[in-house]
Amino acid sequence: MQVRALAASLIAACLVVATNGLRAEPSPGTADRIAALIASGELADADTVVGEWLDRATRSAEPLAIAEASHSLGTLRVAQRRFAEAERAFDTARQQYTSAGTLVASSRGLGRVWRDLGSLYWTTGRTADISSAYLEAARAFAAAGLVHDQAGALRSSIYGQAYRTGQEKRAVLLEALALLAGRPDQVASHRYVRGALLHDLGDRMFAEGRYADAHAVYGAADGLLAPDEENRRAYSLLLTSRARLLRAQGQPARAIAQYDRALVLQQATRYDHGLSQTLNAMAVAQGTLGQRAQAVASLEQALAVAQRLDAAWRVAVARLNLAEARLAAGARTAALAEFSRYEADASRATLGPGYRLQEIPLLLAASRMNEALDVATLVLAGNASTEGMRELRARALMARAEVHERLGDTARARRDLDEARDVWEAVRASLEPSDFVRRGFAEMMATDFYASYVDGLADTAAPAASLAAAELARTRAFVDLLAQRVLTDGLPEATPVDGTAVPEATTSLTEIEGRLLGSAGAVSGPPVDAALESARRVTPLTVTQMQRLVEAEGVISLVYWVGATRTLLWILEPATPVALHVIEAGAPQLARLVRRSTEAQDGGALRRLDALLLAPAARALARTPRLLVVPHGPLNRLSFATVRDARGRYLVERASVRYLPSLTSLETIRGRQGAASTTRRALVVGVPNAAPRPSGGVPLPALPGVRREAAAVRSALTARGTDAETLVGAGATESAVRAALTGGRHDVVHLAAHGVVSDRDPMASWLAFSGGGAASADDGRLTAAEVYGLHLDADLVVLSACRGADGPVSGDGVTGLTRAFLAAGSRSVLASLWTLPDTTAPQLLSGFYARWRDVPAAEGTAQDKAEALRHAQRRLLAALRGGRVSVDTRLGPMPLAEHPLLWGGLIVVGDR
């Protein structure tokens, strides 16, 4: 049936769906008794009853009686794992139903027998026969007028080999939905089969990389398959599919939680087929998280279940997965032994291309290079003619590139990796339009693909090529989120530097699928931050555009990429080709040095960081003492201003430093907001005593220096022509701060309060205010998730809070409060990587404002924020060195040392 011809009937469809075990009308009498005995495990008693029934039916010579008894015998033999006998019994039943003529009862019975034969073929791995059996079932059910069963049989037919493309399978699923839509009087009875059809339609979309569409369809199926006593098996499979979607979009931890739910249902219903599928899938997510031992344990259990099922192809799959997991866990000998057992299994010949792809790392481990190359090429040849399956193609290209690399053919390896990059970008374009999903995908791609891709280009291509790849990889979700605010605020659309329009989010849905999805209803159970819509996709800057940006800014840019064993540094400066330096220190070593750099008197770590990270740029730094740093990995937690050279000079004494998540993010920030505000109005908030408590229940300590800081900041601003609104103490409630922030009335927002950063759930990070009502809008906690919902038009937000610039570091950069305020509409954020001491914070911040706003108010402009911060830090550093900063003790005033913890934590992120 043509897809377009289904439109009229599907528009009216109520969307619902079923399960692997579609429910049939019970046969009367003996058949019901036998089914009950089989269900309760009383197989010997069932054998006796079925034998007696078959004897009576044979003596009667009535075709329908013989057919029904033979059908029950076949069902029993399946339960007994006597599959050859089951097939013979089903064949006898089929022949007898056929000889009974065209009676409704015989057509109904014939359909059930064909359906059970299809299930038997699926269980025993006879994929060539599955589709024909289910299509015969559909014809018989159609003759009997059983629309519900006809739709179910059509749905099951897609698991065989009759359909070569995803489009053909989608057409069958849509045809089945159309059949059900034609019987609106039977909506309730069609609920489960409709749910199963939507589940399978979502699986097809997933296979084609259409993740957003799959998410919507799974949501519709969820509402129809929510488990009841008879439907838990079907719902468990839907949970497994939804978990797989989470994993594919970079959310393995959330995927495992869904897999756990599925396993509970499958164990409760003794659903071994489902257990086998879910355990294999869970192991993939566990491996992604580095939980190697847990992955091996899951696959050992999956192998035991497959052996219990006596399903040869499932045993082969479990062996292959187990071999791969053992290899990843470092057990090479055990892995290759399991792989040998897999290779000896004849049923592996029936496995699809995705499983063949898993053979490659094992062949490489066995030094069978040419065989590995043959497998990769075979998978790609088959995939090239198959609609969809983009993720499979990308991974096959990556695998073949690795083989080429090992064989010394770097040119072919580069071509495969370039194509894999293009495929992954196409997959990214189809992601769900949420920041949560895109951040997860960015993290997965940063570790799974781009880490090796960027590193490989650094060795084989010009510096510009590897720089372009690194920019393509970093903070893409954040840039998209910035661009999305253009739409929600009604501002001009973001465009790249070259002026080309940012492509709209597109979908490849047919008209009929669009109507289907449009009727699907709400999706249940999104994560907390899934509601952050991010439908825009911004094109990253080209290297030429990056060079223009650096020239226009009058800065040099240091762009870092931290790998496992080494770090790449690109240096961009005006009118100079891009330079690439390889730093022989990877993420573990740099993370240790960054941690040590904040420890008391550990100048050695700061000097070592200078030698590694800044020495390669010494000449450029001497020419242009203004740095624009794009950090990566553990360097997101480093205050570069505190790095100290061999002569003992801090970087702040040599240059100013400003930070960006990516160079593209600067253009997006400017494109969405335009020129800096000239309103010269500030909001200054100080919270010395916060009401809410962290989850542990311990009250937050008082911040006695906050009042002094707020007064100093207000004085510095008003003295230079800025009207400052102040909320301090009891008046600084969350609701009051929200009201003051609404409408973009302030170009400067200064927040001096406790900040609580959640590394586990960055969207739950919060700023603590006064009050503390019951409603979330005034509970005293302004969370990062709530900040994203604000609509600011600020030139600067200052987070004078604990770790305001910190947060979990992922493939999409730092996810925390700074990111939230930039996304909410601030052009820049001044925040600290660690807690600002009360003793020095007022002097540092008032000095910053005095320098930044030290121009006539009529000019409506301000100096460079990074330069202003450098000036304030140098003045404080000089005061510390001169013994002019002290704390009161019982022994009298005690001068403070010049340690970076007292002055170096603040950083400027964003526009100048």
Side-chain angles (χ1 to χ4, degrees):
M1 179 183 295
Q2 295 296 317
V3 174
R4 188 171 297 277
L6 300 173
S9 56
L10 271 179
I11 294 170
C14 295
L15 305 175
V16 281
V17 112
T19 149
N20 273 346
L22 300 178
R23 295 183 281 180
E25 296 179 15
S27 300
T30 309
D32 282 349
R33 183 183 173 194
I34 293 167
L37 290 170
I38 293 172
S40 63
E42 300 174 72
L43 302 186
D45 290 343
D47 214 330
T48 300
V49 175
V50 105
E52 293 173 352
W53 185 20
L54 189 56
D55 285 342
R56 291 196 304 273
T58 302
R59 289 195 299 272
S60 73
E62 294 181 4
L64 279 178
I66 297 172
E68 289 182 356
S70 298
H71 190 182
S72 289
L73 176 61
T75 304
L76 174 62
R77 294 294 181 253
V78 169
Q80 295 169 327
R81 303 289 191 265
R82 293 157 64 176
F83 297 130
E85 296 176 45
E87 184 174 4
R88 287 195 293 272
F90 286 146
D91 281 341
T92 299
R94 178 176 55 80
Q95 294 163 7
Q96 293 297 320
Y97 278 128
T98 302
S99 68
T102 58
L103 298 173
V104 170
S106 62
S107 295
R108 179 176 59 224
L110 185 61
R112 289 172 177 166
V113 171
W114 275 117
R115 183 174 63 194
D116 288 348
L117 274 168
S119 178
L120 176 62
Y121 297 151
W122 182 80
T123 300
T124 56
R126 289 170 55 180
T127 55
D129 299 321
I130 292 173
S131 295
S132 59
Y134 280 116
L135 289 173
E136 289 290 348
R139 293 187 189 98
F141 286 136
L146 299 174
V147 173
H148 173 281
D149 294 291
Q150 181 187 359
L154 286 172
R155 173 231 173 193
S156 297
S157 72
I158 69 171
Y159 292 104
Q161 297 181 355
Y163 311 106
R164 294 295 181 184
T165 69
Q167 183 177 8
E168 291 174 341
K169 292 180 180 181
R170 284 202 314 275
V172 171
L173 294 171
L174 293 170
E175 179 182 354
L177 283 166
L179 286 171
L180 299 178
R183 297 298 299 271
D185 57 315
Q186 298 181 17
V187 167
S189 63
H190 292 165
R191 172 187 178 94
Y192 298 107
V193 71
R194 289 174 185 269
L197 287 164
L198 286 176
H199 178 185
D200 283 352
L201 185 60
D203 284 347
R204 293 310 319 152
M205 292 169 174
F206 172 87
E208 295 165 13
R210 295 164 53 187
Y211 294 163
D213 299 336
H215 177 71
V217 173
Y218 286 152
D222 190 285
L224 302 166
L225 292 178
D228 57 28
E229 192 60 32
E230 297 182 61
N231 199 46
R232 290 180 292 174
R233 290 185 171 188
Y235 190 68
S236 75
L237 294 180
L238 177 61
L239 289 174
T240 297
S241 289
R242 300 194 78 171
R244 180 183 58 180
L245 180 61
L246 285 170
R247 175 182 58 76
Q249 297 182 114
Q251 298 295 323
R254 282 187 165 106
I256 288 174
Q258 291 280 63
Y259 287 134
D260 281 334
R261 291 179 62 197
L263 288 173
V264 168
L265 293 173
Q266 288 158 357
Q267 289 163 348
T269 57
R270 300 178 182 178
Y271 186 25
D272 282 349
H273 290 291
L275 274 173
S276 176
Q277 179 179 334
T278 302
L279 287 167
N280 278 286
M282 174 177 272
V284 177
Q286 290 167 331
T288 302
L289 289 172
Q291 300 172 358
R292 307 297 184 193
Q294 294 94 321
V296 169
S298 293
L299 290 169
E300 287 174 340
Q301 188 178 351
L303 177 58
V305 171
Q307 290 169 330
R308 185 166 68 235
L309 282 169
D310 196 23
W313 70 274
R314 286 187 178 274
V315 172
V317 168
R319 287 198 188 283
L320 176 60
N321 290 342
L322 182 56
E324 188 179 32
R326 284 177 170 158
L327 183 65
R332 179 178 177 276
T333 302
L336 293 181
E338 195 68 61
F339 186 52
S340 294
R341 288 189 282 273
Y342 160 78
E343 289 191 295
D345 191 332
S347 65
R348 76 185 182 98
T350 66
L351 299 182
Y355 295 113
R356 296 302 308 276
L357 190 60
Q358 290 177 243
E359 298 174 4
I360 293 177
L362 293 151
L363 291 169
L364 291 176
S367 299
R368 295 158 60 181
M369 303 295 179
N370 291 328
E371 291 177 69
L373 185 60
D374 289 343
V375 169
T377 302
L378 180 66
V379 170
L380 287 167
N383 183 244
S385 61
T386 303
E387 180 183 348
M389 304 300 282
R390 290 181 292 191
E391 181 179 350
L392 175 63
R393 182 165 188 81
R395 295 194 180 280
L397 287 163
M398 291 166 62
R400 191 168 70 178
E402 182 180 359
V403 180
H404 283 316
E405 190 73 36
R406 294 202 186 190
L407 291 172
D409 194 342
T410 55
R412 282 193 171 92
R414 168 74 185 276
R415 285 198 294 271
D416 278 347
L417 287 174
D418 285 345
E419 185 180 347
R421 174 205 61 205
D422 295 341
V423 176
W424 281 126
E425 286 300 308
V427 172
R428 184 184 182 277
S430 71
L431 295 176
E432 297 172 35
S434 80
D435 179 58
F436 153 73
V437 166
R438 292 188 178 181
R439 276 190 286 115
F441 187 79
E443 171 68 5
M444 181 179 70
M445 283 296 91
T447 57
D448 198 19
F449 173 68
Y450 277 110
S452 59
Y453 182 57
V454 173
D455 206 48
L457 286 176
D459 290 332
T460 61
S466 53
L467 173 60
E471 187 71 11
L472 190 65
R474 68 173 83 234
T475 61
R476 298 284 298 285
F478 177 51
V479 173
D480 287 350
L481 188 64
L482 292 175
Q484 178 64 23
R485 184 52 60 92
V486 174
L487 301 183
T488 56
D489 285 353
L491 297 170
E493 294 192 4
T495 60
V497 174
D498 63 3
T500 58
V502 176
E504 292 289 344
T506 59
T507 176
S508 58
L509 285 176
T510 61
E511 178 183 359
I512 191 166
E513 286 178 349
R515 290 170 176 169
L516 182 67
L517 292 176
S519 308
V523 177
S524 63
V528 172
D529 52 336
L532 284 179
E533 185 180 358
S534 182
R536 300 291 287 167
R537 296 196 306 275
V538 175
T539 303
L541 297 182
T542 66
V543 173
T544 299
Q545 291 166 345
M546 295 181 211
Q547 290 174 311
R548 290 176 188 164
L549 182 150
V550 166
E551 187 169 353
E553 293 283 300
V555 299
I556 63 171
S557 182
L558 304 183
V559 181
Y560 294 91
W561 182 271
V562 182
T565 60
R566 65 179 189 171
T567 296
L568 305 178
L569 165 61
W570 296 271
I571 302 174
L572 290 83
E573 55 180 325
T576 304
V578 175
L580 170 62
H581 294 267
V582 177
I583 300 168
E584 297 302 332
Q589 181 180 350
L590 290 177
R592 286 193 298 270
L593 287 170
V594 171
R595 283 195 300 270
R596 285 172 49 198
S597 72
T598 59
E599 296 173 0
Q601 304 304 321
D602 193 353
L606 293 171
R607 287 182 171 84
R608 180 61 178 154
L609 286 167
D610 181 86
L612 291 170
L613 303 176
L614 295 178
R619 291 184 180 179
L621 189 59
R623 289 190 290 268
T624 308
R626 300 176 65 215
L627 286 182
L628 186 58
V629 173
V630 180
H632 186 246
L635 299 185
N636 281 286
R637 292 197 164 108
L638 174 64
S639 173
F640 277 74
T642 66
V643 173
R644 206 166 191 178
D645 68 10
R647 296 168 55 188
R649 296 178 303 165
Y650 295 108
L651 179 59
V652 74
E653 299 178 89
R654 295 173 279 155
S656 64
V657 187
R658 179 159 50 102
Y659 300 80
L660 284 172
S662 67
L663 292 174
T664 303
S665 66
L666 180 58
E667 286 302 311
T668 312
I669 289 170
R670 289 177 175 173
R672 65 178 186 159
Q673 296 284 9
S677 172
T678 60
T679 57
R680 309 282 284 187
R681 286 178 54 84
L683 172 66
V684 181
V685 178
V687 188
N689 296 288
R693 299 185 177 194
S695 56
V698 179
L700 293 168
L703 298 173
V706 160
R707 290 184 184 277
R708 186 161 58 93
E709 176 185 327
V713 167
R714 184 179 188 281
S715 176
L717 288 168
T718 55
R720 289 159 180 82
T722 299
D723 183 14
E725 177 184 354
T726 306
L727 296 172
V728 178
T733 63
E734 181 186 353
S735 57
V737 172
R738 280 174 174 273
L741 290 174
T742 301
R745 299 193 306 270
H746 305 95
D747 68 321
V748 178
V749 176
H750 184 100
L751 303 173
H754 272 295
V756 179
V757 176
S758 171
D759 290 325
R760 185 186 62 83
D761 183 4
M763 299 300 287
S765 299
W766 49 285
L767 294 171
F769 295 107
S770 302
S776 63
D778 198 22
D779 60 2
R781 302 181 184 208
L782 182 63
T783 67
E786 293 171 323
V787 171
Y788 279 103
L790 299 174
H791 291 261
L792 308 178
D793 185 15
D795 188 26
L796 174 68
V797 169
V798 177
L799 299 179
S800 179
C802 314
R803 298 177 61 197
D806 200 5
V809 177
S810 72
D812 199 56
V814 177
T815 306
L817 291 165
T818 294
R819 184 183 195 267
F821 276 101
L822 287 170
S826 181
R827 284 176 284 283
S828 56
V829 174
L830 176 66
S832 183
L833 289 163
W834 51 75
T835 303
L836 285 175
D838 273 355
T839 308
T840 55
Q843 179 179 344
L844 185 61
L845 289 163
S846 61
F848 163 77
Y849 283 114
R851 183 70 173 188
W852 180 45
R853 283 291 171 92
D854 195 13
V855 292
E859 293 183 18
T861 61
Q863 292 190 2
D864 184 290
K865 302 181 188 79
E867 286 287 345
L869 177 61
R870 179 194 180 199
H871 177 80
Q873 289 175 326
R874 290 180 67 187
R875 287 191 61 185
L876 178 57
L877 184 57
L880 289 165
R881 286 171 172 169
R884 298 190 300 274
V885 181
S886 60
V887 292
D888 293 329
T889 70
R890 286 179 296 178
L891 301 177
M894 179 175 291
L896 294 175
E898 63 175 71
H899 194 276
L901 286 176
L902 298 175
W903 59 266
L906 284 172
I907 64 172
V908 176
V909 183
D911 202 356
R912 63 187 178 195

